[in-house]
Amino acid sequence: MLRVLALLTETATADQILSASACLLAQAGPTAITLLHPLAQSDPDFMPTEEVHTARTDARFAAAQQALAVELAQRAEAWRQTGLPSLEIRAGAPEQIVTAAAREADLILLAAPQGDADARALLDLLLLRLAKPVLLLPRQMPHSFAQSIAIAWSDADNAAARAIGAVQALLRACQRATILLGTDSPHAAPPPQALLDSLEAAGRPARLHEFALAGRHVGTALLAEAHAVGADFLVMGAFTHGRLREILFGGATAEVLRQLDLPVLMQH
């Protein structure tokens, strides 16, 4: 059974998370979904060197957090008819809450951290420290996804292989799988014959789509080519050449995060 942890962090992205959870429940075979909101009990943005900490500050923060939790619970309740469970609200340090919950999950759902500092901090925790597969969702979430899956393949690194392993249930259920292979990428690789053979054996023959970067950034090219082959879901390794290097030199992971406009499964 696929164990999915869906993290709800803000009202602006709650419906995307809930929609994706319902899709997985319908498409991925036996699936157990946990909807979780980590309720922060202290303000992580509070700077004691710049502000005076008062009881009023604490009360204001607690009230805002409680209002957020109530709104998210109401959003989740509206999706109960799809088979989703009620939202679990756990109070404490969000990092500790998510770490404990993620250890029991095979796949994590998270909204793309475009302007959401909390989601970005959770993404770093999940990808880099916990090495969990994370399904990042765009702001405009399609009604269904993973019918046509594109797999980004560069230099046969372990991250890409782990990412593929995390979506085996979706690959078995999809209508089409396409392997994206950049022929003039800095990390170009020969076609992944073992992957092609494994998909063939699973009854989901994959086609190979070779493309030239033609001066495009790798991340930009991957998203463009995924759309070009009609994919509604992209699978890729994340920060495969070192997080610092990715940030300094604008790696594929950082570029995809900036432009993400379809569901993307990442694994470090």
Side-chain angles (χ1 to χ4, degrees), residues 24-246:
L24 287 176
L25 204 57
Q27 295 171 209
T31 303
I33 304 276
T34 298
L35 302 178
L36 175 64
H37 172 59
L39 178 64
Q41 292 187 304
S42 60
D43 187 352
D45 297 324
F46 178 77
M47 300 294 291
T49 58
E50 300 177 4
E51 302 179 48
V52 176
H53 196 86
T54 65
R56 181 175 297 178
T57 302
D58 286 341
R60 199 162 48 235
F61 177 79
Q65 291 300 300
Q66 191 59 43
L68 172 60
V70 169
E71 174 67 17
L72 292 175
Q74 291 173 345
R75 296 284 185 92
E77 199 62 27
W79 287 79
R80 288 294 301 279
Q81 72 273 12
T82 66
L84 292 181
S86 297
L87 178 67
E88 295 184 24
I89 299 172
R90 302 179 193 174
E95 181 178 301
Q96 295 176 5
I97 294 168
V98 171
T99 296
R103 289 196 177 112
E104 304 301 318
D106 304 310
L107 178 65
I108 318 295
L109 296 191
L110 185 68
Q114 297 166 335
D116 183 352
D118 292 337
R120 181 57 202 241
L122 290 178
L123 178 60
D124 284 356
L125 168 68
L126 292 164
L127 279 182
L128 299 175
R129 291 168 56 186
L130 300 180
K132 284 290 185 176
V134 181
L135 176 52
L136 290 163
L137 304 174
R139 294 286 166 160
Q140 296 299 320
M141 183 65 198
H143 293 298
S144 65
F145 64 91
Q147 297 302 308
S148 177
I149 298 178
I151 301 169
W153 194 260
S154 56
D155 52 359
D157 59 280
N158 291 331
R162 286 194 295 271
I164 293 163
V167 291
Q168 285 298 318
L170 290 174
L171 283 170
R172 287 192 295 269
C174 76
Q175 297 177 5
R176 181 173 63 195
T178 305
I179 296 173
L180 306 179
L181 188 65
T183 55
D184 59 348
S185 164
H187 307 291
Q193 193 57 50
L195 174 58
L196 290 167
D197 292 343
S198 68
L199 291 172
E200 177 84 31
R204 286 292 178 268
R207 60 175 177 165
L208 186 65
H209 176 71
E210 296 182 316
F211 65 92
L213 289 177
R216 296 174 296 177
H217 191 286
V218 175
T220 301
L222 286 176
L223 289 173
E225 297 299 327
H227 285 296
V229 300
D232 58 14
F233 188 99
L234 175 63
V235 178
M236 63 180 289
F239 297 121
T240 56
H241 302 287
R243 185 172 187 273
L244 181 59
R245 178 180 168 186
E246 290 269 0

